[in-house]
Amino acid sequence: MGRGVYALARVAVMLRAPAGWLWWPGLLAAGVGALVPGLTGRTAGAAVGAVLFVGAALVAFIARRGRYTALASGAARAGKAVILQDRAVTLRVWRRAHRRRLLLAFLAAVASSAVLPTAGGLLMAGAALGLWGKARWLGRWERRNEALLWVRPEAARHGGPAGTEVHGYVLTGPAAGDARPGGARAGHARAGGPRAGGARAGG
C-alpha cells in the first residue's frame, strides 16, 4: 500500500456515501413527478418506477460483490504510519467530488416525469437502497472477522472502493476510526479516538 505516512478511508463509508444523496433527492423527484400527469399517465409511470426501483436496488446490491470479497480476503494489516480519515471527512470529500453528477441526476429524474411520472426518482431511490444493503453486507463481513476495511482515498476516487485503481485493502481492529462496521455513524465518540482530521492507526 506504499511507504511513509498516508491516509486511509473506510471502505464501507465510501460505499454508502452516495446512498443518502440518491435516496432523499430521489424521493423528492418522485414526489414532484407524482404531481405531473406525464405522457404515459401517473399509473403507468408509477408501475415502471416500481420496476426500476427494484431493479436498481438489486443491481446496486449485487454489483462487484465478488471483487469486494476478493479485496477483503487479501487485505493486509495496517502499520503505524497511517492516518485514519474521519467518517465526516470521507463523506464531505465524496460529496464535493460528485455534487455536479448528483445535481444532474436529480434534474434528469425530475425532467423524466414529463414522460414517466415518478420513474426517475424511484430509480435513484432504488440505487440508494441497494448501496445501503451492500454496506450492511460488508458490515457483516467486518463483524464476522472482527476487523475494519480501509482503502487509499485517492485510489478509490473515481471508480469507487472496488474500482480497477484499487489494488488492495488494509485491515485494522474493530475499535479503529469513528464508524461502526458497515460504515454507520458511531453512537458516541470513543475515548482517545480521532479528532477533526483523523487519527493514527495503532497497528
Side-chain angles (χ1 to χ4, degrees), residues 14 17-18 21 92-104 156-160:
M14 296 189 73
W21 295 96
R92 184 167 62 248
V93 169
W94 187 94
R95 182 178 66 248
R96 288 177 178 173
H98 296 85
R99 55 189 172 189
R100 290 186 179 180
R101 295 181 183 178
L102 292 169
L103 178 59
L104 289 175
R157 187 170 299 155
H158 300 295

Side-chain angles (χ1 to χ4, degrees), residues 16 18-24 56-57 60 123-133:
R16 67 189 294 148
W21 295 96
L22 291 173
W23 178 257
W24 295 113
L123 175 65
M124 290 179 64
L129 184 64
L131 291 172
W132 265 322

Side-chain angles (χ1 to χ4, degrees), residues 115-142:
V115 180
L116 285 168
T118 75
L122 290 176
L123 175 65
M124 290 179 64
L129 184 64
L131 291 172
W132 265 322
K134 187 186 289 184
R136 291 177 64 85
W137 164 77
L138 194 63
R140 289 195 294 271
W141 186 96
E142 291 180 321

Side-chain angles (χ1 to χ4, degrees), residues 5-10 78-87 89-90 150 172 175-179 190-203:
V5 178
Y6 55 90
L8 292 173
R10 279 287 301 282
K80 295 181 180 299
V82 297
I83 300 297
L84 303 181
Q85 194 174 87
D86 288 356
R87 182 181 187 273
V89 173
T90 302
W150 301 78
T172 66
D178 64 342
R190 295 185 180 92
R195 299 296 187 261
R200 290 289 182 95

